[in-house]
Amino acid sequence: MDLNSRLFDSIRIKPTCDEPKAADAAGCETPGCKLAGLYRAPKGRKAEGQYWRFCIDHVRAYNATYNYFDGMNDAAVQAYQKDAVIGHRPTWAMGVNPATRASKADGGEPARDWAYVDPLGILRAEGVGGTKRRAAPEPVRPRHSAKILRALDVLGLDETADTAAIKAQYKVLVKRFHPDANGGDRSFEERLRDIIKAHDTLRAAGLC
Ligand SMILES: [Zn+2]
């Protein structure tokens, strides 16, 4: 289009009388101000697209105190500002579990069904919940002598038994095989003797 054409000029310089006042003809809306309202200032939230008209001084004053979030509580403001930063889009694909996707992608074992509560994979990384412990291997347990293992076996325990377990088990077995607990029946005497002997062995080794 030729903007310098005579036709275009004629349109521009011939406003009709019905036309609303040109924007720059309106006065500043500050009461008492006689200057032209050359500057627009947004009226605010829930009045989007509506503007006050001010002179330069009054638009500056208005802008200095203008608060778009006036009337919104803090949570709403934060939510709005956060949405503005991320472009009002969800940051993850809805319905897709990142943990599941990641484990399939790297060929690892499928994520367990609790993985949805662990989108960052923190629990998986630490091996909590049954996945392999890669970072923290099992602590090396002291190797017991055959004598100790035999004593533990008499008490019905294995090499993983700690002091508390040994003490508790001993208490249970003594009570079970003691003649006083069996109506004076002495048929368990040999068993009880073995238990006491085993306990002595473990105590001598400092295990209980
Ligand atoms: Zn003014």
Side-chain angles (χ1 to χ4, degrees):
M1 185 194 293
D2 181 5
L3 295 178
N4 294 319
S5 79
R6 191 168 291 178
L7 179 60
F8 195 81
D9 281 347
S10 69
I11 292 170
R12 196 160 43 188
I13 62 173
K14 281 168 127 182
T16 67
C17 293
D18 297 335
E19 219 174 11
K21 263 178 145 185
D24 55 0
C28 174
E29 295 191 61
T30 303
C33 182
K34 306 289 187 206
L35 296 174
L38 299 176
Y39 302 92
R40 299 195 314 171
K43 287 189 174 180
R45 193 165 56 88
K46 292 180 181 169
E48 278 89 355
Q50 297 178 42
Y51 298 89
W52 300 106
R53 298 195 174 281
F54 292 121
C55 66
I56 183 63
D57 286 341
H58 284 129
V59 79
R60 281 176 178 157
Y62 180 83
N63 286 342
T65 58
Y66 173 71
N67 182 2
Y68 183 85
F69 298 107
D70 197 27
M72 294 171 77
N73 65 37
D74 286 349
V77 171
Q78 285 164 11
Y80 183 91
Q81 291 175 328
K82 186 199 72 185
D83 283 354
V85 168
I86 63 174
H88 299 273
R89 290 190 309 266
T91 52
W92 59 89
M94 301 302 289
V96 176
N97 183 339
T100 305
R101 198 171 45 202
S103 68
K104 280 177 182 168
D106 65 23
E109 58 189 10
R112 292 168 176 274
D113 53 6
W114 47 260
Y116 73 98
V117 301
D118 182 31
L120 299 178
I122 293 166
L123 296 179
R124 281 170 51 80
E126 291 179 1
V128 176
T131 53
K132 285 177 198 156
R133 291 172 185 240
R134 297 187 187 92
E138 290 262 329
V140 179
R141 292 184 174 278
R143 312 222 67 164
H144 295 312
S145 67
K147 190 180 174 186
I148 297 297
L149 291 175
R150 210 156 43 231
L152 287 168
D153 188 54
V154 168
L155 299 184
L157 299 168
D158 63 18
E159 74 277 4
T160 64
D162 58 10
T163 297
I166 292 169
K167 281 182 173 174
Q169 180 74 344
Y170 178 66
K171 219 170 172 178
V172 167
L173 294 177
V174 166
K175 199 173 173 185
R176 183 183 302 166
F177 292 104
H178 199 282
D180 291 351
N182 296 285
D185 185 349
R186 303 184 67 161
S187 62
F188 295 113
E189 234 175 57
E190 194 182 346
R191 180 83 172 98
L192 179 62
R193 218 167 14 241
D194 287 345
I195 289 164
I196 293 171
K197 204 172 149 191
H199 181 258
D200 286 345
T201 300
L202 295 175
R203 190 168 54 188
L207 291 175
C208 67

